[in-house]
Structures are given as C-alpha cells and as structure tokens.
C-alpha cells in the first residue's frame, strides 16, 4: 500500500506539550478488544467500547456512542480529545454524550504525538467506514485534536482520489490558535485552516473565555478561509470547556454536542453565528443560528 502524503506543517508540529490539559482528565480505560467489545448504556445513548490495531502495532482505544439501537450505519463524526486528556475526560465524553443523543459518534484515544494522532484518524476512519464513502463521515476534535482533524482533512485533499473519500465537514472545539495561550504560530495553527478548500464546511465551537482561541483572532482567520465556517460561542467557557457555575458544565458540554450533531444534519449557509449561554437559574440556553456580519471568504486557487 503506498504511503500517504504528509505535510511539512504536520512534521513541524509532531509533539505538542503547550496546550492546557482537559478538565478533570481521567486515565483511559483498558477497553475490551475488537473481538470482544463491551457495550454499556448511558442515558439515551449506547456506548460501545472496542480497540483496533494501528499502523505501529498498538491498539487504538475507541468509544462509539449512538442513539439506542442505532449501530447499523457508519458514525456521523469521528472525534479525538485534546492534549493531556483522553476520551474519558468530561470535556470530550460530555460532548460525545450530547452528540450521541441525536447521531452516532466515534471517539478515539491518541497520544501527544500529532503525527501519530493523524495516522490514527486515517485508521479509525477506514475501520468505521465499511462500504460507505469516507467523505460521508465528518472529522473533529478539541484543542490539539482539532488540529489533527484539520491536518487529516488536508492530507485527504492533497491526493487525486475520489472526492467522495474526502471529508466534507469538520467540527473543531476549542481550536488552539495560540500555543500555550500566549504565542501566535501562523504557519502551524492558522495556515492549515486557510489551506482548507472551499467545499469543506467547518464548525468552530469556542469558549468566550478561551485564552488559546481569542475570538477576535478567530474572526480574522475565518475571514481568510476559503472554506465556509460557522461559529458557536459558549459564554463564560474556558479552553477546557469549564465555566461558572460549575454545576452547569455537564449540561453545557452536552449542549455543544447536540449543536454539532444538528449542524452536521442541516445547516443554513446564511446563518453562521450562535451562542450557548447559562441563565440565572443555571439552565443552558441555545439561541439558534443567526446571520453574522462578516466579510466574504477570500477566493483561493483550487488545487488541480
């Protein structure tokens, strides 16, 4: 099998140790093997734990969450966690639970090595696809995992393969524009977004208090993207999707997952801005999508 192309921006960012760890991170469980999967039930979604072999002969731990009795089709989204956390960290598992109340999602466990995280994306995607076109499955992640999702999509689009095999949508949560929350690295963190081609739709979910993703900087980058993008702002949330009051965090993170699932199912090109907020009674409110005043994306020459 021929080796996949890799991008120089990937190699330059092979290891990231400068991103804020996920809140309340937990050690990943020693999941059952693919041959003896374990299925549990949580609220309205079923959770299927399994492992698959990777390119380096290690096992990739995966959780597939789906609405009850909804395992027959490929997942709508493959998602990976941020640096320092794992798929059991609330910042990932709560989002996945909210998403799975409406559609199927696979979350996989990766390392701090960004290059390996991208290779794992390809492996998990191939395993999840079955006979379906890979492009029907969206890619996503939070923090470092969001960068891995973008780089994986770029590798897909670098080739001359069937367009149906290339991701058409990305879900990027807490995208880390600033390394360590302080340092701007345009080549490693911004250029990969502006390199995305026009037929890829991107959903950003960002905390208003996220020092790694200042909203004014994100707006600047979005204005330079050829890909269409939508933005859901979570009022009061930080990079790890923590907020006050703390008792509202789980509901807030689940709501981000629900918003992502609904956006993947149907989105309005004319309404690209939304807000999730917590009211005085600590109830989480999503106000729907509205029009935003942004400049049109710059035209970019398509690769041939």
């Amino acid at each position: 099998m021929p080796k996949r192309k890799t991008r120089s921006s990937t190699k330059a960012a092979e290891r990231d140790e400068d991103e804020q760890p996920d809140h309340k991170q937990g050690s990943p469980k020693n999941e059952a093997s693919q041959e003896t999967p374990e299925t549990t039930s949580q609220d309205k979604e079923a959770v299927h734990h399994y492992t698959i072999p990777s390119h380096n002969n290690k096992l990739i731990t995966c959780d597939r969450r789906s609405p009850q009795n909804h395992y027959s089709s490929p997942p709508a989204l493959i998602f990976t966690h941020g640096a320092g956390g794992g798929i059991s960290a609330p910042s990932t598992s709560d989002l996945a639970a909210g998403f799975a109340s409406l559609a199927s999602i696979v979350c996989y466990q990766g390392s701090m090595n960004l290059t390996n995280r991208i290779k794992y994306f390809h492996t998990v995607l191939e395993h999840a696809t079955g006979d379906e076109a890979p492009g029907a499955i969206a890619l996503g992640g939070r923090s470092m995992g969001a960068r891995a999702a973008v780089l994986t999509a770029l590798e897909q689009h670098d080739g001359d393969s069937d367009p149906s095999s290339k991701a058409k949508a990305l879900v990027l949560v807490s995208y880390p524009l600033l390394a360590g929350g302080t340092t701007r690295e345009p080549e490693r963190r911004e250029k990969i977004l502006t390199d995305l081609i026009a037929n890829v739709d991107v959903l950003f979910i960002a905390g208003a208090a996220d020092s790694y993703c200042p909203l004014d900087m994100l707006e600047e980058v979005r204005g330079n993207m050829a890909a269409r993008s939508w933005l859901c702002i979570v009022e009061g949330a930080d990079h790890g999707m923590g907020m006050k009051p703390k008792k509202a965090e789980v509901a807030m993170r689940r709501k981000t997952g629900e918003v992502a699932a609904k956006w993947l199912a149907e989105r309005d090109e004319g309404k690209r801005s939304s807000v999730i907020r917590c009211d005085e009674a600590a109830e989480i409110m999503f106000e729907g999508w509205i029009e935003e005043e942004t400049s049109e994306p710059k035209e970019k020459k398509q690769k041939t």
Side-chain angles (χ1 to χ4, degrees), residues 38-81:
E38 175 189 356
T39 301
T40 58
S41 178
Q42 298 182 8
D43 297 329
K44 296 181 180 180
E45 79 277 358
V47 185
H48 179 70
H49 310 292
Y50 62 98
T51 59
I52 56 177
S54 70
H55 66 284
N56 55 7
N57 296 320
K58 294 184 178 180
L59 292 177
I60 305 173
T61 298
C62 302
D63 280 356
R64 175 165 178 167
R65 297 170 183 259
S66 302
Q68 291 284 8
N69 303 318
H70 195 267
Y71 279 114
S72 58
S73 59
L77 174 66
I78 293 177
F79 194 88
T80 190
H81 57 88

Side-chain angles (χ1 to χ4, degrees), residues 197-217:
I197 63 176
N199 65 347
V200 176
D201 287 352
V202 181
L203 170 62
F204 290 99
I205 299 176
D210 185 352
S211 61
Y212 290 67
C213 186
L215 294 179
D216 57 347
M217 186 180 299

Side-chain angles (χ1 to χ4, degrees), residues 138 168-170 199-203 228 230 260-271 289:
K168 298 177 179 61
L170 299 173
N199 65 347
V200 176
D201 287 352
V202 181
L203 170 62
R228 298 183 302 182
W230 285 250
K262 290 179 179 178
W263 176 83
L264 281 176
E266 184 178 7
R267 47 194 176 271
D268 187 337
E269 186 177 348
K271 296 180 179 180
W289 293 97

Side-chain angles (χ1 to χ4, degrees), residues 89-286:
S91 52
T92 296
S93 62
D94 289 343
L95 178 147
F99 190 99
S101 67
L102 299 169
S104 181
I105 178 174
V106 169
C107 296
Y108 75 87
Q109 182 78 30
S111 69
M112 289 284 288
N113 185 294
L114 187 56
T115 300
N116 276 340
R117 191 77 72 97
I118 296 164
K119 290 179 179 178
Y120 281 17
F121 246 126
H122 288 295
T123 301
V124 176
L125 179 61
E126 289 169 3
H127 179 269
T129 300
D131 295 329
E132 299 291 329
I137 301 177
L139 307 179
R142 55 159 275 99
S143 193
M144 173 189 172
R147 292 174 63 202
V150 174
L151 288 163
T152 302
L154 288 173
E155 287 191 1
Q156 289 179 331
H157 287 273
D158 272 346
D160 297 324
S161 58
D162 184 348
S164 67
S165 67
K166 302 172 183 180
K168 298 177 179 61
L170 299 173
V171 176
L172 309 180
V173 181
S174 301
Y175 187 88
L177 285 172
L178 295 179
T182 58
T183 306
R184 192 163 185 172
E185 297 178 337
E187 286 296 315
R188 296 175 64 195
R189 298 167 187 267
E190 300 171 34
K191 188 176 184 299
I192 60 174
L193 292 172
T194 57
D195 280 349
L196 290 168
I197 63 176
N199 65 347
V200 176
D201 287 352
V202 181
L203 170 62
F204 290 99
I205 299 176
D210 185 352
S211 61
Y212 290 67
C213 186
L215 294 179
D216 57 347
M217 186 180 299
L218 179 58
E219 183 62 24
E220 175 189 337
V221 173
R222 290 179 65 209
N224 290 324
M225 290 173 61
R228 298 183 302 182
S229 68
W230 285 250
L231 172 61
C232 178
I233 298 172
V234 184
E235 288 194 351
D238 60 20
H239 186 64
M241 283 294 160
M243 68 179 301
K244 294 181 180 179
K246 200 169 186 63
K247 64 181 180 180
E249 286 183 345
V250 173
M252 174 270 290
R253 291 189 289 251
R254 288 185 66 108
K255 181 61 69 175
T256 62
E258 293 172 12
V259 169
K262 290 179 179 178
W263 176 83
L264 281 176
E266 184 178 7
R267 47 194 176 271
D268 187 337
E269 186 177 348
K271 296 180 179 180
R272 303 194 194 182
S273 178
S274 66
V275 175
I276 294 173
R277 60 167 47 97
C278 182
D279 66 15
E280 294 180 356
E283 295 292 328
I284 297 299
M285 311 293 292
F286 174 65

